Each structure stands twice: as structure tokens, then as C-alpha cells.
């Protein structure tokens, strides 16, 4: 992505987030520039008076102007700072929020794409580790001020002598040459360090990773892990030290060039005082002014150039962020509104391969489910069961074939209305740090209390809610608020189930919903499955073969194809079938000296 | 305004650390200090010399000598300063990352209960933040210590110089800087007072940013239409956080007026008094020089005070770091070595246990013996304490009351490492680390390849490992190596089993190891259970009761104690809770196996 484009994206985003900030930034730059200019020009008058008539009134006047002007600028800067500092942080944080919004709007396929995951990680890394967004803002501020100062001082010096400007420009050119030489070196170096830093970050973060602590101790992994961290320490140092040594020479050369500029300024203007040129003699006051202008000019130009280079650098850090912000969003998903009951769901020869993968997960899958039917989906890990769910939730489109609901292609329906009709409990479900009540109600503001209570009862949480101090208004989890309640894995799963039930959806999908529940709780869900789901259509995925018993039919998926689709009794007759094997391997364990 | 921590002690320790790890940095420090301390003087003297020449003898050649000399001296000094400065960066950074390693080493060895305490990391947050970046904490203090003496020398020289000319100017400048420092401390204190509020707001804001950046929340957000709600909450938290910052900014603004007043005083004094001196006969050259000196003095005083403030402020975090490193967090420990050449018998005698932050007891007067060589199944509802039992038995947690004996020896007598070495444990959450397969299995550098191969074969993962591009040396996960291998849930579980097999410890513990596996993979694991436990005491935990059938004895935990115990047959006959659970879980299977559906 071109730098200009990245910059304009950044500015557009910042403007959207806080126009006031852009104005404040411009204002403070103008102010800074004006103050610098004032300090170049005003002393001239004081010095001219001091070397001239020395009239006490005029001396007092010019001193007062000089001191007063500086004071006024400082006052204004103080006032602006009051707003600028925290707004800068506001803009940074909001730009992160924008990224969060983007993540929620991109087409779902991006979220399961390892490339996009990596892009996001790199974007987040740049923003948090390099404070890329804040640097960006700082650089723009400095740059704007420098541009103003350079323009002003250039005009001033041109009045004295274009030759001076030329001489200084040569100096600046020399300085930039040195700077340019190290720049490529620096970029290569920093780029090479990024993956190492990420890996280093991974290994170091292991010590704070709660999940691995048991294993780390029981398997005495601490030496292996510590040594890895030490190795990386050494690696980072050994890579960096020679680079820093080179940098130091170049920085010294650049600073030496600065001294050269000061020498040239004094020398040239001083010579003009001694040997007046065609424009006449220069007073000592003017001497001071031009020398200040010259030194101010050179330092501002150097600063400006370095800001431009830093700008380029930070923009390259922000590249992943910008790329991510340009990802395609879920397209306009309007269509025919879905309403009423589900009469039939039909898969017609559906084939699907995950983007970036070479083998298809589903091949020529065809089956149809009648409205109100409860279907169990079984198969080995990786057979494609969860993929069916994702296709039904419109997270992916089939590569070929169609999915029809009530005779119409699923993708012709209006997205929002279809999502209203579906409720799912995924294997890796997620709950938020809202109140339990809000977690269940989701989008409806001020939900239907009896409905919430009913959903919780069906999920088996009535008693637990009664035990909690704030009942259903308890905040879930302590990550957000210390006063939140921590529930066990099984209780969380029940809340996820309650959330699905509350929705009163036409299609309920449950993917391993009882994995964390104990047998009694699990049995309760089974027993009441019909009343839980009601009249709606249901899809139930589980490794617990026992769950298939209470479903109307069982869809057996093997290697991405439909192996069977029939009621339990029928499937049990095929003693060489996959279903029979799966079922009996679990059932055997319950048949010894049991009932 | 006195610092609330022992500043001198902290700084001494930091310096001692530098001295013992990197002598070279002190040489660089000397070079830097000379260069940087002298560097301000040529620009102060230059105007005087030039203007002196211009208003005096007015010889162009002398002008060029002066200017040329200035350039050479400045260039030499700046070279000294810059070379020393830049080369010190990496050395100082290295000192910091060595502290990171020390933190790491400690965290991975401290007593386990701290790892489950989510307040623990919070409590030491300041310590951890001190080593997190180049711009704060340890590195900031080192850099400031490196850079501060130079301006201190410059300030001293300039102060004497100006003071000899006119002490009032000196006084005015110092008053101004004193005000700036005072304001800085006041604002810092105000901000410090708000830190809990700020920390709170920051945590809430970061919660939303973190979860929304986590792709795994994507499905639920879409299916349950949570987008708007989450966005609104996120924005609200950001606003809340920024509002507190705004309050702090306002306070700083108000205090700023004091600074403005003293600035006025200082500037007026400088210009006014010097102008008056010229009117009384001082040369304009001297005027320029003293003006330049006054400006330099202000600047370098500001620099100096900034460096000192940094040292004082950031030093506090460094102190916290030292406190963390010094604190004994290793818990109770003994000296006895591991049991050799024999398997284990574990006895819980009257053990009661409650998690440090828990409300109710997990165990109350628990009495239980795991006999030598037996295969024991531990069952119970969620929250009954099955996993807790394992943590107590392996010494990860410590009983609140009562004692645990291993082969008759109280658990506390064993050395920690010895204790841990006696158990081969497989837990439900498998942790595949971004190391090679060999390292994951052997849990050390330079593991025994033949032994690892054997373990992987027994675990049923060898074929998969052979199919990987580098076999045993393939790095797992993609975070370190883009070509790294990802294992499926079942394969990861087998890796954990291989690790346990490789260790070949005195006793085997398996805690819910098949929860995420399909029926055939699960059966596979059950069958290998025999391999794993040959001749050793084994503890198997699951709430899938089917797994209990290949155990010698079963224990049901309920109500903080052992509710039932016996063989499967005995428990079924006694028609207690175990029987109820088993029947319930098996009901559908027995029905189904008979070819009946639940639906008529």
C-alpha cells in the first residue's frame, strides 16, 4: 500500500473519531511555529536599541514585548495541552475500537483464515508494542510545526542572501545523506527484529500463562523454558549491538553537520557585517536575527526530514492495520425476509472446501430435514459436522450445490431475519462480561423477564440463580469487574444453552452442548430436549452416542459425505456401519453387570 | 513529597547489577559525561567571540579562525557524546531483558497456588511493568542515571558563571525550575491518587478491546446479534477512561499557572537585568554571551530535573521489582529425595481443604487411601473436587488441615522437584508448546530420541510424527515457525500421553483426558490406559462413568468427602449415587443397544 494512501486513511480515521483533535493539533503547531519565529525576530529590535540610542523607554518597551510574547505563547500552549494530551490517547484508543468494529463486520471467512489472523496479530502488535498510533500523531504534530517554521525562516533568510540559503542547503543535504545511509540499515534491522520479538514475546508470556503452570512444574520444564528465554536475550543483543554501533557513528556525523551549519551561519553573516554587500550594512541586531534564523532553519529542516523518515517508518508499522481496515465486509445482506416456520431444510449436493485448504470438507452432501424434526449429527472428529453448522449459519457459502430453506436458496433471504430464526450453542461458545440477564437477552433491550426465567429453568440453572446474591443481575466473570461471579464450566455451558433457548428460534443448533456437564445434568437436558426446543427444528451434534436416541433421525457423516440418514433403530440393524461401531464402542462400557 | 521507597538502596542495587554484568557501560558513561557536559559551552562562548571581533578589531581572518575552531571543538565533543550514548542503549537494554529472564525464572518456579490466584499477577503488576519496555522502569532509570551527571556538571558551571555576573538572574532561573519540578510532583501525586480508578477503567476498556480483537468471539457475536451492544460498551469504557485522564489534565493545567508566573519572573529578570547592565556599559558581546548562558542554564536545569524526576518516579517500579525478586514465594518445601524403584501409595488423613479465595470447603475431613499398584477411578459431579484432589496429591496445593502421606512419608518432607517427579500426569487441557515434538515429549533440552520414539509409539502418535517434515524435530504450533505443525485435539491428547510415558514416573494420573475426543478416539485412549499404567498406581478421573470399568476400585466424591467406594459391582449393588449416575448415563445406551429408540 502506498504511503500517501496510508496517511490519508489515517487522517480520515482520526478525523472521523475526533475532528476537534485535528484542529487542536493544527492550532498547537501554528502556535509553536509562531513562538519560534517571534524569538528569532524580536531580539533584533532590543539589540538594535542596545547598540544604538539606548533610550530607557524604548529599551523597556522591547524587553516587555519580548518577555510578554513568550509568556503569551506559553500560556496558550498550556491551555492547548490541557485538551491535546488526553485527546491524543482518546484518538489512539478509538482507532483500536475501530479495528474491533471491523473485526465484527468482516465476512466470517476472514476470522478462520490463518492469514487474516496473522494480519490482525501484526496490526495489534504494532499498535500496542510500538505505540504506532501515538507515534503517528506526535510525528504529524512536529511535522506541521516544522513546515511552518521552515517556510517563515526561509523567507527571512532569502531577504539577506540566497547564497546563505544555498550554503545551508548544502549542509542539510550532507546531513540527509548520512541519515539516508543509515535508514535502509535501520529498516532492515527493525524488520528482522519483529518476528524475533514476537517469538520472544510468546516464550516470555508462557510464565504468566495460567494453563501451563501445572505441566511446567510436574514435568520440570522450567530449565528448558528458561534457557529458551536466555537464548533469545542473547540473540537480540547480538543482532542489535553491531547495528547500534553503526548508528552511533552516523548520528555523530549528523550532529557534527549541525555544528558546521552553526559555524557557517556565524561566519557568513559575520562576514557580511564586516564586508557589507550590495544590500548595505547589517546592524548587530540584524546579525543576531539572521544567525538565529539560520540556526533555527537548519535545525527545523533536519527535524522535518527526520520526521518524514519516521513517518515512513511508522506508516510501515501501521501497514497491517491499514490492510486489515480494508478487508471486505459482509456485503449488503438484504433479501427476502424470512418469516414463519421452517417447513423444510434441504442440502442439495453441497460441496465445500475451506479457503486456503486443498481438500474438501464436504463433498456432494444431500439430505433433507423436515420442519420440527430433531436431527442428531454424528461422525468422527474432522468429518465435517461443525462445517454443516457454519454453512447453515451463513458463515460460509457452499462452493457448489445449494442449501434450500422452504424451497428457497438460503442466501436469498435477508441476513438479519434469518439470523433471528437461528440459535446456536457452539462447541467453543463465548459469553461476555455482561450480567447473566444481558447475556441471555442479547440484542433486545430490556428483555422479557419471565422469558429469561423460563430459559434458565429449562437449562437447569434455577437453583443456582437463587443462590447468587444478585441473581440474574450478577455480572459474569471477574475479568471485567471484581464483583462479578465466577461460574463453573458446566454452569457457563448452561447459560449458553439458556441463551439459545431464550431466542425462541425456528432452528436450534447444539454442538457438544453437554461436554462440561455431569451425567445427571446431561440427562436432564436429554430428557427434556423436546420441550426445550419445542416445535422448532433442531440439530444436535455430540460425541455422546446416547444423545442420538432421543432424536428423530440421525445424520451420519463420514469423510465429508453422508453415510446414512435414518432413525436409530434402523441404523442399529446395519452392524457393519459406522454408526453401529461408534454406538457400540461406547455402549459396551455400560453393559457389564449393569442393568 | 518524600519518595515512599528507599531510593538510595534501589539505585545502589541497580548500579551494582550493572557493575557485575557489564563493566564496559561505565567507560561509556565517562566518555558521555565529558562530551555532554562540555558541549553546551562552545555555543555560549561563540557569540561573544564573534561579536567581540565584529565590534572590535574587525578582522575577517580571525572571524574564520573563531568559527573554524568552534566547529572542530563542537564536532569532537559531539562525537564523544553520540558514540558513547548510542552504544550504551543496547547494553542497558540487555540489563533490562536479563531482569525479564529473572522474573520469568521465578514465576515458573514459585509455589503453584500463586499461579491459580488471579490477584497474584495484579499484586506484582508494578514489578512486571518495570521491565516491559525501553521507555519505563528499569531501562528508564538506567538511562537517566547515565545521562544525568552531564547536565548536572553543566548546570553547576553555568550557575557559577552567571551567579558571578548577577546572582539575581540565577535566583530567578532557579525559582522557575523549582516551580516546574514542584508542579511535576504535584501532578504526579494527583495521578497516583487516581491510579486505582484509572487502573479499573483501563482494565474494563482493555477487556472489551481484547475480547473484540479475539476472533473466537466472532460466531456468537454474529448469531446473537451482539454487535451493537458490544460496540456501545466498548465506546463507553473508552470514554470513561479518557474522562479520568481529562480530570488529571485539568489539574495539570491549573497547576501550570504557577509555572507561568515564575516563567514571567525569570524571563523578565534575565532580559531586564542584562539590558540594564548594557546601559551601564557592558559590551553587547557579553550581553549575547550571558543571554545564551541563561538560556542554556534554563534548558539544562529542565533536562536535569526531568532526568531526576524520571529516576524518582520510575525507581519506585524498580523497587517493586526487587521486592518481587527477593520475596520467598516458593512455599513449604522439604529435603527428601523421590521414592526410588517403587510405585506409590497415597494416604489422605483427615484432610480439609479450601481454596484461598473460595467460600466453601472442597474437602472436610477426607480420609482416603490409594493403594499401591491399584487402578483407582475417581468420579463425582462437577465441582466435587476431583481435580482438586489431584492438585493436593501432587503437592501443587497444600491441605488446610490434615496430612497426606506418600509411602508413609508426610508429603511436606519431600523436596518439591522430587515430589513432582513422581507423577506422570495427563490433564484435560493439553498444552502443546511451541517447541519441537521431541522437546514437548521429553520436556527438556536434548531428550533421548529412542525413548521418545518408544513413548510416541505406545501413545499411538508415532505414525503422525513420522509424517511431519522434520519428524521429531518439527516445531509445533505456528507462532514460532510458520511451517510448524498443528495437532488435532485427539493428537494433542496423545502427545500428552506420550509425555507421561516418556517420564515413566512412579504413579500415573489422568484427569478427564478424553472429554474432547470422538467415540473411537476415546476408546483408543482407554485401550492404551493399560500400557500407561503397567505395574504402577494409577488414578483416573472422569465424569464419564464408562471409563471406570477398567479400574480396580471406584471412589465417588460428594459433599466434600468420600461418599461411596468399592468395585463397580459393589457400587451398583448398593444402589447409591454411583449407581444412579451410571444408570442415568447408560440408560440410553442400553435402550439403544437393544435397538429401541427413545421415540416410539
Amino acid at each position: 500500500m502506498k504511503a500517501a494512501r496510508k496517511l490519508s486513511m489515517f487522517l480520515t480515521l482520526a478525523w472521523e473519531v475526533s475532528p476537534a483533535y485535528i484542529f487542536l493539533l493544527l492550532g498547537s503547531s501554528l502556535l509553536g511555529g509562531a513562538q519560534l519565529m517571534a524569538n528569532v525576530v524580536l531580539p533584533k529590535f532590543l539589540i538594535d536599541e542596545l547598540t544604538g540610542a539606548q533610550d530607557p523607554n524604548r529599551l523597556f518597551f522591547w524587553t516587555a514585548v519580548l518577555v510578554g510574547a513568550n509568556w503569551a505563547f506559553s500560556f496558550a500552549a498550556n491551555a492547548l495541552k490541557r485538551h491535546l494530551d488526553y485527546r491524543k490517547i482518546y484518538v489512539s484508543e478509538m482507532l483500536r475500537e475501530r479495528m474491533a468494529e471491523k473485526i465484527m463486520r468482516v465476512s466470517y471467512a476472514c476470522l478462520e483464515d490463518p492469514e487474516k489472523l496473522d494480519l490482525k496479530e501484526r496490526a495489534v502488535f504494532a499498535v500496542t508494542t510500538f505505540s504506532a498510533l501515538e507515534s503517528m500523531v506526535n510525528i504529524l504534530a512536529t511535522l506541521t510545526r516544522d513546515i511552518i517554521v521552515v517556510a517563515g525562516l526561509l523567507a527571512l533568510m532569502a531577504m539577506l542572501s540566497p547564497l546563505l540559503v544555498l550554503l545551508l542547503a548544502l549542509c542539510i543535504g550532507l546531513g540527509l545523506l548520512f541519515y539516508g545511509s543509515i535508514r535502509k540499515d535501520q529498516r532492515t534491522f527493525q524488520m528482522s527484529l519483529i518476528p524475533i520479538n514476537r517469538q520472544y514475546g510468546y516464550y516470555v508470556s508462557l510464565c504468566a500463562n495460567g494453563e501451563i503452570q501445572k505441566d511446567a512444574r510436574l514435568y520440570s520444564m522450567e530449565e528448558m523454558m528458561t534457557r529458551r528465554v536466555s537464548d533469545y536475550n542473547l540473540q537480540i543483543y547480538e543482532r542489535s549491538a553491531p547495528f547500534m554501533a553503526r548508528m552511533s557513528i552516523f548520528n555523530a556525523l549528523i550532529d557534527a553537520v549541525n555544528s558546521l551549519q552553526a559555524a557557517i551561519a556565524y561566519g557568513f553573516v559575520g562576514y557580511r557585517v564586516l564586508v557589507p554587500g550590495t544590500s548595505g550594512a547589517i546592524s548587530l541586531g540584524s546579525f543576531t536575527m539572521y544567525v538565529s534564523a539560520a540556526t533555527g532553519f537548519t535545525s527545523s529542516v533536519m527535524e522535518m526530514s527526520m520526521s518524514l523518515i519516521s513517518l515512513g517508518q511508522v506508516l510501515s508499522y501501521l501497514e497491517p492495520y491499514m490492510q486489515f481496515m480494508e478487508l471486505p465486509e459482509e456485503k449488503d445482506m438484504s433479501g427476502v425476509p424470512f418469516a414463519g416456520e421452517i417447513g423444510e431444510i434441504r442440502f442439495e449436493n453441497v460441496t465445500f472446501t475451506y479457503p486456503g485448504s486443498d481438500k474438501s470438507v464436504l463433498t456432494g452432501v444431500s439430505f433433507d430435514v423436515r420442519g420440527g424434526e430433531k436431527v442428531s449429527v454424528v461422525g468422527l472428529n474432522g468429518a465435517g459436522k461443525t462445517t454443516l453448522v457454519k454453512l447453515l449459519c451463513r458463515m460460509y457459502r457452499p462452493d457448489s450445490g445449494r442449501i434450500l430453506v422452504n424451497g428457497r436458496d438460503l442466501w436469498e433471504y435477508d441476513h438479519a431475519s434469518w439470523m433471528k430464526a437461528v440459535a446456536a450453542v457452539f462447541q467453543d461458545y463465548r459469553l461476555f462480561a455482561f450480567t447473566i440477564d444481558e447475556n441471555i437477552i442479547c440484542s433486545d433491550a430490556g428483555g422479557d423477564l419471565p422469558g429469561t426465567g423460563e430459559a434458565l429453568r429449562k437449562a437447569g440453572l434455577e437453583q443456582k440463580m437463587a443462590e447468587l446474591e444478585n441473581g440474574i443481575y450478577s455480572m459474569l466473570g471477574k475479568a471485567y469487574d471484581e464483583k462479578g461471579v465466577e461460574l463453573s464450566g458446566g454452569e457457563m455451558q448452561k447459560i449458553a444453552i439458556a441463551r439459545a433457548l431464550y431466542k425462541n428460534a425456528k432452528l436450534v443448533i447444539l454442538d457438544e452442548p453437554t461436554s462440561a456437564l455431569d451425567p445427571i445434568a446431561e440427562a436432564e437436558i436429554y430428557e427434556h430436549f423436546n420441550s426445550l426446543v419445542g416445535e422448532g427444528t433442531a440439530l444436535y451434534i455430540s460425541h455422546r452416542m446416547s444423545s442420538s436416541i432421543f432424536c428423530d433421525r440421525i445424520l451420519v457423516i463420514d469423510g465429508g459425505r453422508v453415510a446414512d440418514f435414518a432413525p436409530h433403530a434402523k441404523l442399529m440393524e446395519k452392524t457393519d456401519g459406522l454408526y453401529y461401531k461408534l454406538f457400540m464402542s461406547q455402549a459396551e462400557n455400560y453393559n457389564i453387570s449393569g442393568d | 513529597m518524600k519518595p515512599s521507597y528507599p531510593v538510595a538502596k534501589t539505585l545502589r542495587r541497580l548500579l551494582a547489577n550493572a557493575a557485575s554484568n557489564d563493566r564496559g557501560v561505565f567507560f561509556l558513561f565517562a566518555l558521555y559525561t565529558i562530551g555532554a557536559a562540555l558541549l553546551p559551552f562552545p555555543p555560549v562562548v561563540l557569540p561573544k567571540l564573534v561579536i567581540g571581533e565584529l565590534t572590535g578589531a574587525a578582522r575577517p581572518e580571525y572571524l574564520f579562525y573563531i568559527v573554524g575552531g568552534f566547529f572542530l571543538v563542537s564536532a569532537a565533543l559531539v562525537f564523544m557524546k553520540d558514540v558513547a550514548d548510542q552504544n550504551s542503549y543496547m547494553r542497558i537494554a540487555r540489563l533490562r531483558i536479563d531482569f525479564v529472564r529473572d522474573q520469568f525464572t521465578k514465576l515458573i518456579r514459585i509455589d503453584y497456588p500463586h499461579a491459580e490466584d488471579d490477584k497474584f499477577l495484579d499484586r506484582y503488576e508494578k514489578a512486571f511493568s518495570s521491565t516491559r519496555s525501553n521507555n519505563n522502569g528499569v531501562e528508564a532509570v538506567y538511562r537517566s542515571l547515565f545521562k544525568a551527571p552531564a547536565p548536572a556538571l553543566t548546570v553547576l558551571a553555568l550557575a557559577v558563571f552567571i551567579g558571578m555576573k548577577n546572582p539575581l538572574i540565577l535566583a530567578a532561573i532557579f525559582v522557575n525550575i523549582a516551580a516546574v519540578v514542584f508542579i511535576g510532583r504535584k501532578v504526579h501525586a494527583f495521578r497516583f491518587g487516581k491510579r486505582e480508578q484509572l487502573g479499573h477503567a483501563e482494565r474494563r476498556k482493555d477487556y472489551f478491546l481484547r475480547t473484540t480483537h479475539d476472533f473466537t468471539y466472532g460466531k456468537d457475536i454474529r448469531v446473537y446479534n451482539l454487535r451493537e451492544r458490544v460496540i456501545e460498551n466498548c465506546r463507553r469504557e473508552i470514554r470513561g477512561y479518557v474522562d479520568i485522564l481529562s480530570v488529571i489534565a485539568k489539574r495539570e493545567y491549573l497547576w501550570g499557572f504557577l509555572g507561568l508566573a515564575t516563567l514571567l519572573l525569570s524571563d523578565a529578570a534575565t532580559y531586564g537585568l542584562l539590558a540594564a547592565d548594557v546601559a551601564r556599559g557592558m559590551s553587547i558581546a557579553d550581553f549575547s554571551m550571558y543571554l545564551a548562558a541563561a538560556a542554556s542554564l534554563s534548558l539544562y536545569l529542565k533536562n536535569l530535573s526531568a532526568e531526576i524526576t524520571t529516576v524518582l518516579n520510575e525507581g519506585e517500579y524498580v523497587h517493586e521489582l526487587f521486592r518481587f525478586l527477593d520475596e520467598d514465594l516458593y512455599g513449604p518445601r522439604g529435603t527428601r529425595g523421590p521414592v526410588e524403584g517403587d510405585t506409590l501409595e497415597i494416604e489422605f488423613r483427615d484432610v480439609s481443604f479450601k481454596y484461598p479465595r473460595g467460600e466453601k470447603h472442597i474437602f472436610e475431613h477426607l480420609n482416603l487411601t490409594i493403594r499401591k499398584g491399584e487402578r483407582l477411578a475417581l468420579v463425582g459431579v462437577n465441582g466435587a473436587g476431583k481435580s482438586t484432589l489431584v492438585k493436593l496429591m501432587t503437592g501443587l496445593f497444600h491441605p488446610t488441615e490434615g496430612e497426606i502421606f506418600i509411602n508413609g512419608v508426610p508429603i511436606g518432607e519431600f523436596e518439591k522437584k522430587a515430589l513432582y517427579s513422581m507423577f506422570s500426569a495427563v490433564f484435560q487441557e493439553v498444552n502443546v508448546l511451541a517447541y519441537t515434538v521431541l522437546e514437548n515429549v521429553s520436556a527438556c533440552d536434548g531428550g533421548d530420541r529412542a525413548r521418545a520414539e518408544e513413548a510416541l509409539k505406545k501413545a499411538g502418535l508415532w505414525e503422525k510424527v513420522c509424517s511431519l517434515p522434520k519428524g521429531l524435530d518439527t516445531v509445533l504450533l505456528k507462532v514460532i515457525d510458520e511451517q510448524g505443525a498443528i495437532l488435532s485435539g485427539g493428537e494433542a491428547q496423545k502427545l500428552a500421553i506420550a509425555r507421561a510415558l516418556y517420564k515413566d514416573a512412579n504413579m500415573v494420573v489422568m484427569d478427564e483426558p478424553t472429554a474432547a475426543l470422538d467415540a473411537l478416539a476415546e476408546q483408543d485412549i482407554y485401550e492404551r490406559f493399560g500400557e500407561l499404567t503397567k505395574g504402577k498406581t494409577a488414578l483416573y478421573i472422569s465424569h464419564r462413568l464408562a471409563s471406570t470399568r477398567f479400574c480396580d476400585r471406584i471412589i465417588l466424591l460428594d459433599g466434600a468427602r468420600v461418599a461411596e467406594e468399592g468395585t463397580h459391582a459393589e457400587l451398583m449393588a448398593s444402589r447409591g449415587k454411583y449407581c444412579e449416575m451410571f444408570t442415568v448415563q447408560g440408560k440410553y445406551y442400553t435402550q439403544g443397544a437393544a435397538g429401541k429408540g427413545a421415540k416410539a
Side-chain angles (χ1 to χ4, degrees), chain A residues 309-429:
Chain A
I309 289 167
S310 296
L311 186 66
Q313 231 166 46
V314 174
L315 281 176
S316 71
Y317 290 152
L318 283 177
E319 169 114 23
Y321 178 89
M322 296 302 171
Q323 272 183 14
F324 195 91
M325 294 305 276
E326 286 212 311
L327 287 176
E329 297 183 5
E330 277 163 351
K331 287 189 276 301
D332 173 32
M333 310 270 237
S334 60
V336 177
F338 178 85
E341 306 302 316
I342 292 182
E344 178 198 55
I345 299 177
R346 176 193 293 251
F347 270 63
E348 231 173 52
N349 230 324
V350 169
T351 300
F352 178 73
T353 310
Y354 280 102
S357 159
D358 21 300
K359 56 184 193 81
S360 32
V361 173
L362 294 175
T363 315
V365 167
S366 298
F367 62 90
D368 54 85
V369 173
R370 294 183 291 274
E373 203 177 357
K374 319 285 186 263
V375 173
S376 166
V377 183
V378 306
L380 299 175
N381 267 347
K385 309 188 292 293
T386 307
T387 310
L388 280 178
V389 172
K390 290 182 190 164
L391 289 173
L392 276 172
C393 289
R394 283 178 56 142
M395 288 172 184
Y396 290 97
R397 277 191 105 119
D399 293 334
S400 68
R402 303 189 294 168
I403 302 174
L404 300 162
V405 177
N406 290 356
R408 192 189 282 274
D409 190 321
L410 176 61
W411 284 84
E412 284 176 30
Y413 287 109
D414 167 51
H415 185 78
S417 62
W418 173 246
M419 294 317 290
K420 266 214 174 65
V422 178
V425 180
F426 298 102
Q427 206 170 353
D428 55 349
Y429 68 89

Side-chain angles (χ1 to χ4, degrees), chain A residues 149-164:
Chain A
V149 169
V150 164
L153 293 177
L154 192 61
L156 193 59
M157 287 187 314
M159 282 187 343
L160 173 64
S161 165
L163 181 59
L164 176 61

Side-chain angles (χ1 to χ4, degrees), chain A residues 188-206:
Chain A
T188 327
F189 170 72
Q190 267 160 352
M191 284 295 146
S192 80
L193 218 48
I194 286 181
I196 294 188
N197 272 328
R198 254 176 70 196
Q199 292 163 14
Y200 180 67
Y202 166 80
Y203 284 118
V204 168
S205 70
L206 286 179

Side-chain angles (χ1 to χ4, degrees), chain A residues 73-380:
Chain A
F73 281 119
S74 297
F75 181 86
N78 194 33
L80 274 182
K81 184 172 191 289
R82 179 218 180 317
H83 293 284
L84 215 45
D85 276 355
Y86 75 83
R87 234 171 245 277
K88 183 163 61 175
I89 297 185
Y90 176 71
V91 169
S92 272
E93 295 293 331
M94 283 304 286
L95 287 176
R96 291 171 72 193
E97 189 266 351
R98 282 296 146 97
M99 177 147 175
E101 276 188 53
K102 185 75 184 181
I103 291 173
M104 288 192 271
R105 289 195 216 285
V106 291
S107 50
Y108 184 76
C110 291
L111 298 186
E112 289 196 354
D113 179 355
E115 239 181 71
K116 304 293 189 295
L117 178 61
D118 185 59
L119 187 64
K120 180 218 35 156
E121 293 290 315
R122 284 187 288 133
V124 167
F125 187 73
V127 165
T128 47
T129 314
F130 291 126
S131 307
L133 294 171
E134 279 174 41
S135 303
M136 188 66 174
V137 152
N138 285 337
I139 292 172
L140 286 175
T142 323
L143 203 54
T144 326
R145 187 194 65 212
D146 287 335
I147 291 174
I148 295 169
V149 169
V150 164
L153 293 177
L154 192 61
L156 193 59
M157 287 187 314
M159 282 187 343
L160 173 64
S161 165
L163 181 59
L164 176 61
V165 178
L166 186 63
L167 276 174
L168 292 176
L170 283 172
C171 264
I172 293 168
L174 188 62
L176 287 179
L177 198 68
F178 291 135
Y179 205 75
S181 312
I182 194 91
R183 170 184 158 204
K184 190 152 178 260
D185 196 353
Q186 191 172 48
R187 255 205 87 170
T188 327
F189 170 72
Q190 267 160 352
M191 284 295 146
S192 80
L193 218 48
I194 286 181
I196 294 188
N197 272 328
R198 254 176 70 196
Q199 292 163 14
Y200 180 67
Y202 166 80
Y203 284 118
V204 168
S205 70
L206 286 179
C207 69
N209 177 342
E211 282 181 16
I212 64 152
Q213 301 295 325
K214 290 199 286 286
D215 280 336
R217 284 163 181 72
L218 291 174
Y219 287 93
S220 290
M221 288 174 144
E222 69 270 355
E223 267 169 43
M224 180 173 79
M225 292 167 79
T226 310
R227 193 165 312 163
R228 191 56 60 100
V229 171
S230 289
D231 285 347
Y232 268 88
N233 275 12
L234 187 61
Q235 222 190 99
I236 290 174
Y237 178 74
E238 285 181 344
R239 264 175 194 260
S240 309
F243 168 74
M244 285 294 181
R246 289 197 297 275
M247 276 272 278
S248 73
I249 306 284
F250 277 105
N251 269 336
L253 284 171
I254 292 168
D255 282 339
V257 167
N258 267 336
S259 302
L260 183 62
Q261 288 157 359
I264 288 180
Y266 271 91
F268 188 94
V269 183
Y271 188 73
R272 283 303 216 84
V273 169
L274 292 179
V275 182
T278 44
S279 43
I282 310 176
S283 69
L284 266 179
S286 300
F287 167 80
T288 317
M289 182 175 77
Y290 287 120
V291 164
S292 287
T295 44
F297 173 76
T298 48
S299 63
S300 291
V301 170
M302 283 304 283
E303 199 179 66
M304 191 171 85
S305 321
M306 291 184 193
S307 292
L308 277 171
I309 289 167
S310 296
L311 186 66
Q313 231 166 46
V314 174
L315 281 176
S316 71
Y317 290 152
L318 283 177
E319 169 114 23
Y321 178 89
M322 296 302 171
Q323 272 183 14
F324 195 91
M325 294 305 276
E326 286 212 311
L327 287 176
E329 297 183 5
E330 277 163 351
K331 287 189 276 301
D332 173 32
M333 310 270 237
S334 60
V336 177
F338 178 85
E341 306 302 316
I342 292 182
E344 178 198 55
I345 299 177
R346 176 193 293 251
F347 270 63
E348 231 173 52
N349 230 324
V350 169
T351 300
F352 178 73
T353 310
Y354 280 102
S357 159
D358 21 300
K359 56 184 193 81
S360 32
V361 173
L362 294 175
T363 315
V365 167
S366 298
F367 62 90
D368 54 85
V369 173
R370 294 183 291 274
E373 203 177 357
K374 319 285 186 263
V375 173
S376 166
V377 183
V378 306
L380 299 175

Side-chain angles (χ1 to χ4, degrees), chain A residues 488-491 516-519, chain B residues 351 353-355 360-364 366 368 378-390 392 511-512 541-543 545 555-564 577 581:
Chain A
S488 70
E491 286 158 351
L517 302 185
D518 59 65
Chain B
V351 168
F353 179 75
K354 181 165 87 84
Y355 279 104
K360 57 184 183 82
H361 274 87
I362 308 288
F363 298 124
E364 268 169 336
L366 178 78
L368 158 64
L378 193 60
V379 303
V381 299
N382 272 344
K386 311 189 289 291
S387 298
T388 310
L389 194 88
V390 171
L392 285 171
D511 186 353
E512 301 273 14
I541 298 172
S542 176
H543 64 232
L545 300 180
I555 288 196
L556 173 74
L557 288 177
D558 193 28
R561 33 177 268 292
V562 173
E564 294 172 24
K577 190 136 192 198
M581 280 171 61

Side-chain angles (χ1 to χ4, degrees), chain A residues 218-219 255 424 480 516 586 590, chain B residues 82 224 237 382 425 503 589:
Chain A
L218 291 174
Y219 287 93
D255 282 339
Y480 180 80
Q586 280 188 349
Y590 292 92
Chain B
D82 278 346
Y224 291 97
E237 294 309 333
N382 272 344
K503 188 177 178 188
Y589 285 107

Side-chain angles (χ1 to χ4, degrees), chain B residues 52-96:
Chain B
E53 189 60 34
L54 292 179
T55 50
R59 295 160 292 187
E61 330 80 74
Y62 273 75
L63 180 64
F64 291 117
Y65 295 153
I66 294 170
V67 162
F70 162 79
F71 169 65
L72 289 171
V73 171
S74 286
L77 288 174
V78 102
F79 245 88
M80 277 174 81
K81 168 179 175 260
D82 278 346
V83 167
D85 189 17
Q86 284 269 263
N87 278 299
S88 73
Y89 273 20
M90 245 356 263
R91 289 172 181 254
I92 290 179
R94 187 179 195 178
L95 289 172
R96 170 181 67 92

